[in-house]
Amino acid sequence: MAEYYPPVGFHFSVDFSEISDKSNDTRFQSVSGLDVELETETIREGGENRFEHVLPLRSKYPNLTLKRGMLKDSKVIDWCLDAFNNLIIEPRSIVVKLLHFEKQEQDDEVTWEQKPLVSWNIVNAWPIKWNISDLSAEDSNLVIETIELRYQYFTIEK
């Protein structure tokens, strides 16, 4: 029986449907906002002072935040700027894949193939914020661009 090791969080890709090819536009340093919360409503019953009824309402998804080193030529940023400058909002599907290497053995030859472990399919995402990190002659930091997206929901494929 093989031992289980939790996956690493630094090996992932981000694919924008109908926007980016498989170039640098899929490479990000961090992704946040892949969580969901169930909204509730509290109802107080008259004459009952010991507790309140808490009822579920709907799922609530936060904004998706993507960070990476600034790219000079990016179709994803062109899509964002089209929304900000021209108010052309074109919702897109995004797939965030957590990747791992899978061992392949064939004819006494061992290779490692990159495969998705889990995929989050983000539905109808559109940009709401784009930010460039501060420029400073006193620091030797990379210029980081942050893209914040609003979306309806996500599904998970394992």
Side-chain angles (χ1 to χ4, degrees):
M1 180 173 154
E3 288 187 47
Y4 172 76
Y5 295 100
V8 295
F10 58 79
H11 192 200
F12 62 91
S13 70
V14 180
D15 296 326
F16 287 78
S17 71
E18 304 169 13
I19 295 179
S20 64
D21 50 10
K22 300 298 180 195
S23 64
N24 289 332
D25 258 349
T26 64
R27 298 178 185 170
F28 288 86
Q29 81 179 41
S30 71
V31 175
S32 62
L34 292 174
D35 54 284
V36 61
E37 182 179 339
L38 192 59
E39 288 184 339
T40 60
E41 179 180 15
T42 302
I43 298 176
R44 295 182 180 144
E45 184 178 350
E48 179 60 69
N49 294 326
R50 294 176 294 167
F51 63 89
E52 299 173 334
H53 299 281
V54 180
L55 304 174
L57 291 178
R58 68 189 63 85
S59 297
K60 181 180 175 183
Y61 297 86
N63 293 336
L64 185 69
T65 303
L66 308 171
K67 292 183 180 185
R68 67 178 176 192
M70 189 177 100
L71 291 179
K72 184 177 174 185
D73 184 30
S74 167
K75 292 178 184 176
V76 171
I77 297 304
D78 292 343
W79 170 66
C80 291
L81 292 177
D82 209 19
F84 299 133
N85 296 334
N86 304 320
L87 289 178
I88 299 173
I89 309 298
E90 296 181 12
R92 302 288 186 196
S93 295
I94 300 171
V95 179
V96 177
K97 297 177 185 174
L98 181 61
L99 304 171
H100 76 290
F101 285 101
E102 197 171 276
K103 189 176 183 180
Q104 304 291 323
E105 296 181 40
Q106 185 177 17
D107 301 330
D108 294 332
E109 186 177 319
V110 175
T111 58
W112 293 89
E113 189 175 330
Q114 182 175 277
K115 299 239 178 167
L117 186 64
V118 179
S119 296
W120 291 266
N121 299 312
I122 310 325
V123 177
N124 289 333
W126 49 280
I128 61 168
K129 186 176 181 181
W130 176 59
N131 180 33
I132 297 294
S133 62
D134 294 339
L135 306 176
S136 173
E138 297 175 354
D139 298 324
S140 59
N141 297 332
L142 294 174
V143 177
I144 302 296
E145 63 184 354
T146 303
I147 304 167
E148 196 168 325
L149 305 168
R150 187 75 203 132
Y151 64 96
Q152 290 179 334
Y153 64 93
F154 63 78
T155 60
I156 300 174
E157 289 182 27
K158 296 181 182 181

